Each structure stands twice: as structure tokens, then as C-alpha cells.
């Protein structure tokens, strides 16, 4: 048989593309990205496009074929990017941007549309972005994911790059309650001072909802920062801005000397107005010039940023409550986040990963430079600032000591972070990933949402301050329990992962996937308290439950919302074998329960929508009257149980 060249090419493409996409942000491996084009002058054309378009911020993409870890994608957009990271480089190892969906609508790789390829200017090991974003996520701040890749262009090895996730709608969907809000990128040097209501006076670009072009929330935010009176400032800013998130970002930025940010140069951040909370989030960006500190401590920021006049920082830290929280966050970061015990293994693992794959002279730092930048006392930046800085490990040690001294000088005491529970003291006990409309399991707004049930295996109440739930192993501290959330001894707590962050109660900004997913319960110090993973579809209105309750493996047994997991009959069977009436419903002052036949050992408990038990009793007679006159109005669940059955009944108390 004579092979037809086009058929062979087509067949090879099919074979390559039936391979699964390897996770782009798997940082246990060095990825390989091979860029090819029929354009023999591809690189020169990319360079010309950059030089001609950088001044007007209009650099066009060119279409190329990309192979990522063996997976081939055609018609992918590529262009050069950056400013100083591009113009100060003496080799062709320029920063790049890939746009998988530029020429093919909807085309993505591993769920992302765009990826940034950082070339390591000012960062020999190309690790500073990864390290900073890791620290931010550790303290509950959404941040881009980072991995590393060897890049080839037209068959030639181009160098090792950092792969940095783009902040766009896909990023917003993964990290926030909604992705349909307005996203602004700071495109210049800006101190957020008041420049009036004309949006052209601000160097920001609206990157979502461009047709509506609604800047009202942005103008409101800047107006509050500048023009709200001292008496009203705290309340006004809290109404429009996630202040607590910003305090954490500010603490980390100052700790790691982030000069190329709002702190000093007024650069590198996004603002996102999330519609459900109706507040603006500060999204940090571009950390390749962080962790810089001279041998004698030059380049250090004062912990109050007093040397740089930035109105947002000045006014926020002038509020005593916020200044105290900010210093507390600094204390936390120094105790559990920016510490050698946590960060050294990450630095060592990366060095082991990339030193054997460095190779080409196109990498403008040597392997020795990389080692010095991590392990040495000093290293010299010959790409950008022509300065000598401390190695990363020495920076972490020395900077922490200086900041701790500065905190003490503020007459602030750092209290130790204490983890109050052990592994499996509190467990993920039951969860439902598809709660269909009309079911009996509803939240406080009478909505059928997915739910997670925690159980306290101990005989004492547990405060869940500094504990987190997440569905993402790259962001374990995704949703933090509100301060002083209590799960009572040997009791249950219901969480509604529905992205309804604006509602009262426990509503994380993520949802559960019925087909496959993960759940993690962790502490701020990084301890894993409990976790569960599933890889098969969970049917509607069914749950996965630990059996025996609180200790066993997960099984698909009868739903026992906010009650003990057992080998119970279905709710339908329970109703048949345990007939009773609860009335009236809605009820106001008194609730009545009547049984035709009362099984032995029957009891009732009533819980409110937060999972707190407000009433419990053994049922001795076929008729029971319950005084509910002191119950608050709202939705409640009555659990009626005996030795073999369990029935959950929805109540409304007026």
C-alpha cells in the first residue's frame, strides 16, 4: 500500500491528540512546549510585532502549532510581552504569551485560554512568582498558578520558562463566586489618587464587559479612598472593598519587598468587582522582582510603608482596628508562612528539578547563578538592575528578624497560633453534590443547594477560626470559616458550597462537582485535618457518608442530613414505617407531633439552618407538644429517629 503524505500527517495528529492533556500546573515535572510554524522568519516577525506595537500596547498574535507534553494544538496565538523583562535581555529569551483561543473560538488547554511564559529577569531560578503566589494562597488570597517548562521554537531549545496563569474570566470562575463582574487591569504607574470622574484620567483597562463599559464601581472605590471623611472612611470602604483580603496582601508585599507594586511604583495589580458580594477584590500580579534585599538590608520596606505616600495604604493603616489586624497577619506570616521549614523544601525541589535541564546559553543565568540565588549569601543580577542581593534562604531568615523587630517597635505582641484539634477530630462526614429542586434539604433561603456536613468526633466544642475548606489541592486555603464558628461536641455543622457568598450562613465561593472532585479540611498552619476524593458520578439527591458515623469510609447509604450516618432505610420507607404528623407548618408558638404507632427509642431534634441544635427530646407518648415561642423566625429541620429509621422534616417558624 502506498502511503499518502496527507493521510499520514492526519493520522499522526489524531494519535497525538487522543492523549490526555497533562495538567499544565503540575510542578513536579518540567513540561515541554514546542512551538512550530511554516513561517521561516517567525522569531524576527514576533520581534518586529513587539517593537512596532509596544508603544501603543497593541502587539498582535501570530498563529503557530503548539505541542505541550506531547499534546498538539494548532492555530494557537503567540506574541512577545513585557517591558523591562523584554528590553533588558541580551539574548532571544524574551517573555511570551500564548493564547489558545485566539484563532479557534473556545480552544483551551487544561481549562485555561492564555498562559504567560516568564523568562526570569531579576529571578535566576524563575521561582519568585511561584513563591509569592504560594504565600498569598497560603493566607487565603486567590493567586495565579505557576509551573516550569523547557521551550523550543522551530526545533531549537529556547530556554527554561515559568508558566504563569493568566488573570481572566476563567481565572475568575475558578476563584470567585461569579465571573461576570468587571475586571480592571492597572496598565501604568498609579497611586489611586483622585483624578475626577473621567475614566481617561486613570491608567486602567476594563478587560471584561467591555461593551457595557461601566466604570461606576471603580470610580466609587477611588472616590471613597480619597474623599470619604475620616469618620465615615472605615464603614464606606468596607461597603465597597474586601479590606481583610487587602490587609493580607499588603502584609506579604511588604514582607517580601515588592517594590514593583502599588507599594512604590504603583504597578502590577488588577481590581475585580464581584457582583454577588458587590465589593471589589484586589488581585496581585507580577512578582519576579520581589525578595530583593542588599547585603546590608538596603531595599527593605518599612512595615508601615511610611517612605512612600500611597493614599490607600496610609488611610487603611490609620484605622486602629485595621492596623492591628494587619500586624496580626504579619505575625501569622512570620510564624507559619514565610519560614524556612516550609519554604526550603520547595526551593530545594525546584533546584533539583531544573538544574539538569538548564542547558542553553540562551538562559542568561547559569546553574551556579541559580544555586547562589537560592542557597548563597549573595547573587548578582546582571539582567536588569545590576545589583547584588541576598540569596532567597538568607533573605527569608534576615528579613523575618528585621520585621519582627519592627513589629515589636509598634508595641504589638505576636500571639502564637495554636491548632486546637487533631486529625479526624472534625471530619467531612457526609456531602451531596446534586441537591435537586424540591428536595427537603434547603438552606436558609429555602434553596436546594449542594451541602457538606462536618461532624465533631470529640466531647468538647471546637472553634473553627483559622480553618479552611477547599475543593482545590492547589489552593487549600480557599474558603475560611468565619471567625468564631463553633461546631458543638458530638454534633454536626452544615456548609452550603453554592457560591452564594452574599447570603447569611456558611456559603463558600465554590461548588461541588457530581462527576469527580475533592474536598479538604485544613488549618492555617498547613495541617490536613480531613480529605475526601471521588471519581465517579454521584446521583441526584444521594449523598456519600462515612459509615460508621464520623470514622468509617465513605459509602452511598441513605441521606442523613445533620444526623448520624447509619444503614437506614430510604426516606420513603422511613415514612411508611414511621407514620406521623407535624403541624402546623409554618408554626408560630407551638409545634405538634402525633404518631399512629410510636416505635421504641424514638427521639426528635430540631436544628437551625447553621446546624445548631435548638431542641432535643425523647418521645414518650404518641402526642408531643413543643414550645417554640422563643425560637427565632426562619427555616429549621426536625430529625425524628429511632433504632432503625431516620426522617428529616423541613419546618418554617414564623
Amino acid at each position: 500500500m502506498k502511503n499518502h503524505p496527507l493521510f499520514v500527517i492526519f493520522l499522526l495528529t489524531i494519535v497525538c491528540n487522543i492523549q490526555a492533556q497533562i495538567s499544565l500546573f503540575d510542578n513536579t515535572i518540567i513540561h515541554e512546549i514546542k512551538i512550530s510554524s511554516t513561517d521561516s522568519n517567525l522569531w524576527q516577525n514576533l520581534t518586529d510585532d513587539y517593537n512596532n506595537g509596544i508603544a501603543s500596547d497593541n502587539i498582535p498574535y501570530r498563529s503557530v502549532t503548539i505541542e505541550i507534553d506531547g499534546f498538539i494544538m494548532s492555530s494557537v496565538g503567540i506574541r512577545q510581552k513585557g517591558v523591562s523583562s523584554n528590553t533588558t535581555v541580551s539574548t532571544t529569551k524574551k517573555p511570551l504569551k500564548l493564547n489558545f483561543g485566539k484563532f479557534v473560538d473556545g480552544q483551551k488547554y487544561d481549562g485555561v485560554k492564555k498562559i504567560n511564559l516568564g523568562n526570569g529577569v531579576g529571578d535566576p531560578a524563575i521561582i519568585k512568582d511561584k513563591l509569592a503566589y504560594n504565600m498569598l494562597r497560603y493566607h487565603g488570597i486567590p493567586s495565579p498558578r505557576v509551573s516550569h517548562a523547557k521551550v523550543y521554537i522551530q526545533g531549537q531549545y529556547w530556554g527554561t520558562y515559568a508558566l504563569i496563569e493568566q488573570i481572566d474570566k476563567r481565572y475568575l470562575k475558578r476563584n470567585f463566586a461569579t465571573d461576570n463582574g468587571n475586571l480592571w487591569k492597572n496598565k501604568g504607574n498609579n497611586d489611586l489618587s483622585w483624578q475626577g470622574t473621567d475614566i481617561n484620567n486613570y491608567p486602567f483597562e476594563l478587560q471584561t464587559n467591555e461593551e457595557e463599559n461601566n466604570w461606576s464601581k471603580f470610580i466609587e472605590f477611588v472616590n471613597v479612598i480619597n474623599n470619604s471623611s475620616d469618620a465615615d472612611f472605615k464603614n464606606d470602604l468596607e461597603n465597597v472593598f474586601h479590606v481583610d483580603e487587602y490587609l493580607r496582601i499588603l502584609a506579604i508585599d511588604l514582607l517580601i519587598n515588592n517594590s514593583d507594586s502599588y507599594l512604590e511604583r504603583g504597578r502590577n495589580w488588577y481590581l475585580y468587582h464581584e457582583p454577588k458580594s458587590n465589593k471589589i477584590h484586589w488581585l496581585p500580579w507580577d512578582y519576579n522582582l520581589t525578595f530583593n534585599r542588599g547585603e546590608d538590608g538596603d531595599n527593605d520596606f518599612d512595615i508601615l510603608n511610611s517612605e512612600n505616600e500611597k493614599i490607600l495604604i496610609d488611610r487603611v493603616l490609620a484605622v486602629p482596628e485595621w492596623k492591628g489586624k494587619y500586624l496580626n497577619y504579619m505575625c501569622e506570616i512570620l510564624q507559619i508562612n514565610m519560614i524556612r521549614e516550609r519554604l526550603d523544601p520547595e526551593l530545594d525541589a525546584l533546584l533539583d528539578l531544573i538544574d539538569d535541564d538548564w542547558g542553553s546559553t540562551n538562559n542568561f543565568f547559569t546553574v551556579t547563578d541559580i544555586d547562589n540565588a537560592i542557597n548563597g549569601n549573595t547573587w548578582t543580577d546582571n539582567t536588569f538592575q545590576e545589583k547584588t542581593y541576598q540569596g532567597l534562604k538568607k533573605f527569608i531568615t534576615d528579613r523575618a528578624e528585621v520585621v519582627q523587630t519592627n513589629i515589636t517597635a509598634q508595641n504589638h505582641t505576636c500571639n502564637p497560633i495554636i491548632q486546637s484539634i487533631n486529625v479526624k477530630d472534625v471530619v467531612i462526614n457526609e456531602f451531596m453534590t446534586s441537591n435537586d429542586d424540591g428536595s427537603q434539604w434547603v438552606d436558609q433561603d429555602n434553596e436546594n443547594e449542594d451541602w457538606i456536613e462536618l461532624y465533631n468526633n470529640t466531647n468538647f466544642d471546637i472553634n473553627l477560626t483559622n480553618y479552611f475548606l477547599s475543593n482545590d489541592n492547589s489552593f487549600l486555603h480557599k474558603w475560611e470559616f468565619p471567625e468564631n464558628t463553633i461546631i458543638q461536641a458530638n454534633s454536626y455543622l452544615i456548609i452550603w458550597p453554592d457560591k452564594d457568598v452574599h447570603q447569611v450562613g456558611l456559603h463558600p465561593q465554590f461548588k461541588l462537582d457530581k462527576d469527580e472532585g475533592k474536598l479538604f479540611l485544613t488549618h492555617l498552619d498547613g495541617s490536613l485535618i480531613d480529605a475526601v476524593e471521588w471519581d465517579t458520578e454521584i446521583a441526584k439527591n444521594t449523598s456519600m457518608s462515612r459509615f460508621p458515623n464520623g470514622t468509617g469510609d465513605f459509602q452511598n447509604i441513605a441521606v442523613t442530613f445533620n444526623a448520624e450516618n447509619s444503614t437506614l432505610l430510604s426516606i420513603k420507607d422511613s415514612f411508611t414505617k414511621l407514620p406521623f404528623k407535624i403541624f402546623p407548618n409554618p408554626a408560630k408558638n407551638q409545634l405538634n407531633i402525633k404518631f399512629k404507632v410510636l416505635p421504641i427509642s424514638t427521639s426528635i431534634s430540631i436544628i437551625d439552618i447553621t446546624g445548631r441544635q435548638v431542641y432535643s427530646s425523647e418521645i414518650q407518648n404518641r402526642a408531643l407538644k413543643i414550645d417554640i415561642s422563643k425560637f427565632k423566625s426562619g427555616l429549621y429541620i426536625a430529625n425524628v429517629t429511632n433504632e432503625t429509621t431516620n426522617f428529616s422534616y423541613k419546618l418554617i417558624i414564623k
Side-chain angles (χ1 to χ4, degrees):
M1 175 180 174
K2 186 175 180 179
N3 289 329
H4 194 292
L6 290 178
F7 175 77
V8 172
I9 293 172
F10 177 70
L11 182 60
L12 287 173
T13 301
I14 291 176
V15 170
C16 289
N17 279 286
I18 61 174
Q19 299 180 32
Q21 294 181 354
I22 295 175
S23 173
L24 196 58
F25 301 104
D26 179 352
N27 50 37
T28 64
I29 62 172
I30 289 283
H31 299 272
E32 280 195 349
I33 297 180
K34 298 178 180 179
I35 301 165
S36 59
S37 171
T38 56
D39 180 0
S40 59
N41 293 317
L42 174 64
W43 185 253
Q44 185 59 54
N45 288 330
L46 289 172
T47 301
D48 291 343
D49 290 343
Y50 175 86
N51 291 334
N52 294 331
I54 185 62
S56 60
D57 193 26
N58 186 25
I59 306 168
Y61 285 94
R62 289 185 177 264
S63 179
V64 295
T65 296
I66 300 285
E67 181 181 335
I68 302 177
D69 298 325
F71 188 93
I72 297 174
M73 302 178 74
S74 59
S75 302
V76 174
I78 185 174
R79 67 172 177 86
Q80 292 184 24
K81 65 180 290 288
V83 183
S84 57
S85 59
N86 189 302
T87 58
T88 61
V89 173
S90 58
T91 75
T92 56
K93 189 186 175 186
K94 307 287 188 178
L96 303 168
K97 185 184 288 286
L98 300 180
N99 186 335
F100 301 112
K102 177 63 179 178
F103 301 108
V104 179
D105 189 41
Q107 180 168 254
K108 294 179 287 188
Y109 185 92
D110 193 24
V112 300
K113 180 181 177 182
K114 296 178 183 178
I115 192 76
N116 299 280
L117 276 63
N119 61 344
V121 162
D123 181 12
I126 324 180
I127 194 177
K128 291 181 179 179
D129 280 288
K130 184 176 187 298
L131 205 62
Y133 292 143
N134 174 300
M135 288 180 62
L136 287 161
R137 281 194 298 273
Y138 204 84
H139 255 76
I141 303 301
S143 302
R145 296 169 291 176
V146 181
S147 59
H148 291 82
K150 296 172 66 176
V151 175
Y152 298 81
I153 298 180
Q154 301 289 57
Q156 179 182 348
Y157 176 54
W158 220 254
T160 300
Y161 282 77
L163 307 182
I164 305 172
E165 183 178 14
Q166 177 72 25
I167 293 180
D168 57 13
K169 282 185 72 71
R170 282 141 294 277
Y171 176 88
L172 299 176
K173 183 177 182 179
R174 193 172 63 82
N175 288 290
F176 295 97
T178 58
D179 63 352
N180 59 356
N182 286 343
L183 176 69
W184 293 276
K185 182 179 182 180
N186 176 22
K187 302 281 285 187
N189 301 76
N190 185 259
D191 61 3
L192 290 176
S193 61
W194 181 245
Q195 303 295 325
T197 59
D198 186 349
I199 61 175
N200 295 308
N201 294 334
Y202 300 93
F204 284 77
E205 177 183 79
L206 180 61
Q207 297 196 332
T208 57
N209 306 316
E210 294 94 328
E211 290 186 7
E212 291 86 348
N213 199 34
N214 186 344
W215 288 66
S216 59
K217 293 298 180 180
F218 175 88
I219 295 298
E220 179 185 28
F221 173 58
V222 180
N223 184 40
V224 167
I225 293 171
N226 289 270
N227 301 322
S228 183
S229 69
D230 290 342
D232 295 333
F233 176 71
K234 182 177 184 295
N235 183 66
D236 289 349
L237 191 63
E238 283 180 324
N239 285 335
V240 300
F241 186 48
H242 281 272
V243 177
D244 189 72
E245 284 184 356
Y246 182 68
L247 293 175
R248 304 179 196 203
I249 296 167
L250 178 61
I252 289 174
D253 278 355
L254 281 160
L255 276 167
I256 64 178
N257 288 338
N258 187 11
S259 60
D260 199 25
S261 70
Y262 180 68
L263 299 185
E264 183 175 321
R265 297 174 188 150
R267 292 163 43 85
N268 294 320
W269 78 87
Y270 292 75
L271 297 174
Y272 176 56
H273 175 255
E274 194 284 301
K276 284 190 175 180
S277 65
N278 196 27
K279 292 184 180 182
I280 282 178
H281 295 261
W282 186 284
L283 309 187
W285 178 247
D286 198 353
Y287 279 75
N288 67 302
L289 298 181
T290 53
F291 297 97
N292 286 341
R293 186 173 193 267
E295 293 179 83
D296 299 321
D298 54 311
N299 292 95
D300 269 354
F301 279 88
D302 174 79
I303 63 170
L304 300 182
N305 201 41
S306 55
E307 296 178 357
N308 299 287
E309 293 184 3
K310 292 293 186 290
I311 189 164
L312 176 60
I313 297 173
D314 294 345
R315 296 205 70 183
V316 164
L317 295 185
V319 177
E321 179 185 337
W322 289 346
K323 180 181 177 182
K325 289 192 73 173
Y326 161 76
L327 293 174
N328 282 337
Y329 284 136
M330 275 205 159
C331 293
E332 288 181 0
I333 295 162
L334 291 177
Q335 286 186 55
I336 61 171
N337 193 338
M338 197 176 85
I339 57 173
R340 293 282 301 274
E341 294 89 336
R342 191 180 83 81
L343 298 180
D344 275 14
E346 183 172 342
L347 292 168
D348 293 340
L350 179 67
L351 185 59
D352 290 341
L353 193 65
I354 67 175
D355 61 4
D356 292 333
D357 291 298
W358 203 248
S360 169
T361 55
N362 212 26
N363 288 315
F364 32 79
F365 289 109
T366 67
V367 174
T368 301
D369 292 330
I370 299 171
D371 187 68
N372 287 336
I374 293 177
N375 295 310
N377 286 327
T378 61
W379 66 280
T380 300
D381 182 0
N382 54 19
T383 62
F384 178 46
Q385 296 176 319
E386 297 292 337
K387 290 184 178 180
T388 298
Y389 299 111
Q390 291 181 335
L392 277 167
K393 291 181 180 179
K394 184 170 177 56
F395 173 96
I396 293 166
T397 299
D398 291 359
R399 177 66 173 147
E401 291 178 358
V402 169
V403 170
Q404 186 62 66
T405 300
N406 291 340
I407 292 173
T408 303
Q410 293 292 323
N411 296 317
H412 187 86
T413 301
C414 289
N415 297 315
I417 296 172
I418 300 174
Q419 188 196 140
S420 59
I421 63 177
N422 299 312
V423 174
K424 298 300 178 71
D425 279 356
V426 174
V427 295
I428 301 166
N429 198 49
E430 186 176 3
F431 61 94
M432 180 176 286
T433 63
S434 185
N435 185 5
D436 209 14
D437 289 347
S439 81
Q440 61 184 303
W441 308 291
V442 294
D443 66 12
Q444 77 287 339
D445 290 305
N446 206 30
E447 296 174 348
N448 295 105
E449 304 288 3
D450 301 346
W451 49 268
I452 302 165
E453 175 192 274
L454 301 186
Y455 178 66
N456 181 352
N457 274 309
T458 74
N459 295 320
F460 51 87
D461 294 351
I462 290 176
N463 189 325
L464 293 177
T465 299
N466 288 333
Y467 288 87
F468 297 80
L469 269 179
S470 177
N471 64 339
D472 183 353
N473 58 359
S474 71
F475 190 8
L476 291 177
H477 294 169
K478 191 170 189 176
W479 179 76
E480 185 173 9
F481 284 90
E483 192 171 1
N484 293 321
T485 297
I486 303 296
I487 181 168
Q488 295 177 332
N490 304 118
S491 295
Y492 305 88
L493 184 68
I494 301 298
I495 298 97
W496 305 91
D498 55 7
K499 292 196 170 189
D500 288 336
V501 295
H502 59 295
Q503 293 182 347
V504 175
L506 305 178
H507 295 266
Q509 74 275 32
F510 62 84
K511 290 190 174 184
L512 303 182
D513 190 326
K514 64 182 177 64
D515 296 318
E516 60 178 343
K518 302 174 183 178
L519 272 175
F520 304 91
L521 175 64
T522 60
H523 184 259
L524 178 61
D525 67 7
S527 301
L528 179 65
I529 307 303
D530 196 18
V532 59
E533 181 175 358
W534 62 100
D535 57 8
T536 56
E537 181 178 350
I538 302 173
K540 289 182 179 180
N541 292 343
T542 64
S543 64
M544 296 299 295
S545 309
R546 286 193 182 278
F547 183 77
N549 187 73
T551 59
D553 294 333
F554 279 92
Q555 300 182 38
N556 186 208
I557 59 177
V559 178
T560 56
F561 177 88
N562 213 63
E564 181 180 355
N565 300 334
S566 58
T567 52
L568 301 175
L569 301 173
S570 69
I571 288 174
K572 181 178 179 181
D573 289 339
S574 298
F575 185 78
T576 301
K577 295 181 179 293
L578 185 59
F580 60 88
K581 292 182 179 180
I582 297 182
F583 63 94
N585 191 13
K588 188 172 184 181
N589 294 313
Q590 180 174 288
L591 187 67
N592 301 285
I593 303 179
K594 287 188 177 181
F595 291 82
K596 290 182 179 179
V597 177
L598 180 64
I600 61 173
S601 301
T602 299
S603 64
I604 181 172
S605 64
I606 299 176
I607 60 167
D608 66 17
I609 201 61
T610 68
R612 184 173 63 93
Q613 182 174 283
V614 296
Y615 177 87
S616 66
S617 175
E618 294 290 327
I619 301 177
Q620 305 294 336
N621 302 302
R622 287 189 295 124
L624 175 66
K625 296 180 179 180
I626 302 173
D627 180 7
I628 58 171
S629 60
K630 295 183 179 180
F631 287 18
K632 293 181 179 179
S633 299
L635 187 67
Y636 292 77
I637 301 294
N639 290 315
V640 179
T641 63
N642 61 31
E643 291 180 344
T644 60
T645 57
N646 176 71
F647 186 77
S648 296
Y649 193 90
K650 181 172 64 178
L651 299 172
I652 296 176
I653 295 179
K654 297 188 293 183

